[in-house]
Amino acid sequence: MRLPPHPAFDILRFAEGQPGFTQRWARRALLVLRHPGEAWAVLRAALAGKRVRARDQAAILWGARHALRPSPLPAGEAEAVPGLRVATPVEILAGGAGSAALVVLTAPGHRLVPGAPSAIAASFAADPGLGALYGDAVVLGPDGAPRLPVLRPAFDPDYLLAADYVGPVVAIRRAVLDRLGLDPSLPGAEIADLLLRLDSETPGAVRHLPRLLSTWSPAAAIPPEAWARSRRRLAESRLAGSGRVEAAGGVLSLRRDLPEPPLASLIVPTRDRVALLRACIESLRAHTDWPSPEIIVCDNDSRGPDTLAYLEQLAREGVRVLPCPGPFNFAAMNNRAAAAARGALLVFVNNDVVASRADWLRRMAEEALRPEVGAVGAKLLDGRGRIQHGGIVLGTGGLVTHAHRHVLGAAPGYLASLRATHRVSAVTAACLAVEARKFRAVGGFDADAFAVDFNDVDLCLRLEAAGYRTLMVPGAVLHHHEAASRRWTPQARERHAAEVAALRARWGERLAADPWYHPGFDPRAGTYARVRAWEGAGVR
């Protein structure tokens, strides 16, 4: 779908530029010829009836794409509900809200669907603590046909500052509107400003109703001319002079000042595989824009002569080499290094990760050093330049999976989430930054229950339980040759199964519903790949 060239629509461009049917199949045929072994693996899994495995292997071979088809729209007009008024901010500023107890703020080009007013009123009646509510939408093409679903996650002020993923259709209590008001100096961003102020005043008062509430016709109405300027002013006001705002179309990056950057300890676990380790360490030293970071290599019984010689060289060059003998325990190695680290900022980096952009650590640190933030993750690309990690989503793929996996590395992501800093449930320890005091306060990685797998997910969820939020920072980009240093054995598979069971036992309820992902996506497909038939219920 071709969208008007306005930055307000950049959040919808996740589906632009995808190849058409003929181009897509021609490209697939070319990849089959180049990688016949992978193509045969896809076919073998499909013939064996293993559809999920076949789909995953096909995504690896061909790359993932959005195949999102919105459900048919309900017929008719939105019903009238006593005490509920639908109005634009301009109308409210000009004439007030009248006698309405609930106001649905909207904008030209947006319309409520049948059933939406009743659902909104019922949600507010059921929850006295609810101050404002937003839902989902369907984008209409120039012909009025539904084209794209807009399935939004729970309320996230960082995401909203970076990109207006909430949109202008927001229901709000009259009492809240009267108390906080709309700022007329922010045309096009008045609603986002109001929600951010309400969330600051009363955390949890802004909720998401995961159901279709409105349609969006980009071709029918362009946002105010001052939209981009208002969005930037809003972001700058939140920085309060302690940073700057960088704009790339309709997506903003809030760059926070670090007047006294603390010592950062970069922790790299390894065992032999000297080529991997050398590439990792040399890239960190060459492409890390940070004053004198401390590098700690946790060596788990390396025996190769080349590896031992390289470790000795690193030690002479000022890299701390920490012996971590015994059975491989990724979590315990990282914990030991974290205990020995001198830095106030801990940065865990796999030995199969390579840095290529010098600002990766600074971008992560700007977020990780905020008092309310716990773990911070980076955007990781695989050897083919596709997304390897865009945050961790709970409840998909049977347990957890990486967001946007196998999508092209330059893609904007669903609702610009591969460009905008946003909240996630967890991030991978392949590249994870966290303040040392926060890491130690929750006990570090659980080396008993999660020696190798899911220790990162568990850490992030324990940080969340302690009141910290986990952020994905797409501006920090590195390459990850995932599993290049891992070998599956019968013992490893048995250990993995035990860790799966432990994760389910500890976090089963949390795994069942990821607030930073939408239940309307098919959990059997790749993330953001396909919409399932779903009615929706509840407010989050």
Side-chain angles (χ1 to χ4, degrees):
M1 176 179 175
R2 185 67 63 182
L3 294 160
H6 190 285
F9 304 131
D10 286 357
I11 199 165
L12 302 177
R13 301 192 195 282
F14 57 88
E16 282 192 346
Q18 293 195 143
F21 179 84
T22 302
Q23 184 182 3
R24 186 165 68 249
W25 280 100
R27 185 173 177 273
R28 289 181 175 183
L30 181 61
L31 287 171
V32 166
L33 293 175
R34 289 180 178 175
H35 305 283
E38 292 183 28
W40 171 241
V42 175
L43 179 60
R44 187 166 59 244
L47 292 175
K50 300 176 180 178
R51 291 184 295 176
V52 174
R53 179 179 296 182
R55 199 159 47 231
D56 290 345
Q57 291 174 332
I60 295 171
L61 174 59
W62 292 322
R65 59 183 293 272
H66 303 289
L68 304 174
R69 297 180 181 177
S71 301
L73 295 175
E77 297 292 327
E79 69 279 13
V81 171
L84 184 148
R85 182 187 177 194
V86 181
T88 66
V90 171
E91 292 169 335
I92 296 296
L93 289 167
S99 61
L102 297 175
V103 176
V104 178
L105 298 169
T106 185
H110 298 262
R111 297 183 63 183
L112 295 182
V113 301
S118 297
I120 291 169
S123 296
F124 279 96
D127 187 354
L130 178 61
L133 182 73
Y134 63 96
D136 304 322
V138 166
V139 177
L140 306 181
D143 57 356
R147 297 294 181 84
L148 298 174
V150 180
L151 307 181
R152 299 174 167 112
F155 186 72
D156 174 4
D158 288 295
Y159 196 2
L160 182 56
L161 282 167
D164 189 3
Y165 79 98
V166 169
V169 179
V170 173
I172 191 161
R173 286 192 191 275
R174 168 68 179 280
V176 172
L177 184 60
D178 287 346
R179 185 174 73 254
L180 298 180
L182 293 168
D183 188 343
S185 71
L186 294 172
E190 317 97 316
I191 298 173
D193 169 63
L194 176 61
L195 295 181
L196 290 167
R197 287 187 284 125
L198 173 59
D199 180 69
S200 296
E201 174 194 86
T202 312
V206 182
R207 317 263 183 87
H208 171 235
L209 180 64
R211 63 163 289 165
L212 176 64
L213 293 185
S214 63
T215 60
W216 185 356
S217 302
I222 300 296
E225 182 180 347
W227 182 91
R229 186 167 62 252
S230 296
R231 291 280 309 164
R232 187 173 192 123
R233 282 189 57 206
L234 176 59
E236 289 172 343
S237 71
R238 303 294 284 195
L239 287 173
S242 60
R244 67 187 189 280
V245 175
E246 297 176 351
V251 180
L252 305 179
S253 294
L254 279 68
R255 305 300 309 277
R256 293 174 168 82
D257 291 340
L258 297 174
E260 296 183 11
L263 176 65
S265 296
L266 280 55
I267 296 171
V268 184
T270 194
R271 176 193 283 174
D272 288 315
R273 310 301 297 275
V274 66
L276 282 179
L277 179 62
R278 180 179 285 110
C280 173
I281 298 297
E282 297 312 310
S283 75
L284 295 180
R285 297 203 288 193
H287 302 292
T288 303
D289 178 16
W290 194 262
S292 303
E294 172 187 48
I295 300 179
I296 303 175
V297 175
C298 319
D299 179 41
N300 181 222
D301 291 332
S302 291
R303 293 183 172 86
D306 290 346
T307 304
L308 296 177
Y310 183 59
L311 292 175
E312 291 177 2
Q313 174 191 331
L314 290 178
R316 291 193 301 270
E317 295 171 350
V319 173
R320 297 178 66 187
V321 178
L322 185 67
C324 296
F328 179 72
N329 186 315
F330 179 85
M333 293 167 65
N334 277 312
N335 283 344
R336 182 173 181 183
R342 295 188 291 264
L345 181 66
L346 303 177
V347 187
F348 300 97
V349 183
N350 274 19
N351 66 344
D352 50 7
V353 166
V354 174
S356 59
R357 301 185 188 180
D359 66 346
W360 70 274
L361 177 51
R362 181 169 293 274
R363 286 181 175 271
M364 296 178 74
E366 288 173 14
E367 307 299 339
L369 294 173
R370 294 164 59 190
E372 68 274 21
V373 174
V376 170
K379 180 166 72 175
L380 302 180
L381 307 181
D382 64 18
R384 296 184 183 180
R386 297 171 180 166
I387 299 296
Q388 187 276 327
H389 171 264
I392 292 177
V393 175
L394 308 183
T396 58
L399 192 64
V400 302
T401 193
H402 289 189
H404 289 100
R405 194 162 191 181
H406 307 307
V407 169
L408 291 176
Y414 188 76
L415 301 186
S417 57
L418 287 176
R419 295 176 58 200
T421 294
H422 63 284
R423 188 168 180 177
V424 292
S425 289
V427 292
T428 178
C431 186
L432 183 154
V434 60
E435 278 193 278
R437 64 179 181 85
K438 299 169 186 172
F439 180 79
R440 292 165 185 153
V442 299
F445 293 111
D446 187 336
D448 295 325
F450 306 106
V452 178
D453 292 318
F454 311 120
N455 41 67
D456 44 15
V457 176
D458 175 69
L459 173 69
C460 291
L461 293 179
R462 283 187 287 114
L463 284 165
E464 178 185 81
Y468 300 108
R469 57 180 182 258
T470 299
L471 293 182
M472 165 66 192
V473 182
V477 183
L478 303 94
H479 285 79
H480 183 205
H481 304 289
E482 184 191 21
S485 56
R486 176 181 292 200
R487 294 290 181 269
W488 284 102
T489 64
Q491 293 80 9
R493 295 186 186 281
E494 182 179 352
R495 184 263 314 147
H496 176 76
E499 290 171 341
V500 168
L503 189 70
R504 291 189 187 280
R506 181 174 296 178
W507 300 108
E509 185 175 341
R510 184 66 173 80
L511 297 175
D514 190 331
W516 316 114
Y517 190 63
H518 197 287
F521 292 111
D522 189 339
R524 300 167 299 175
T527 55
Y528 305 108
R530 192 169 62 216
V531 175
R532 65 175 176 176
W534 180 81
E535 294 298 328
V539 180
R540 54 182 185 157

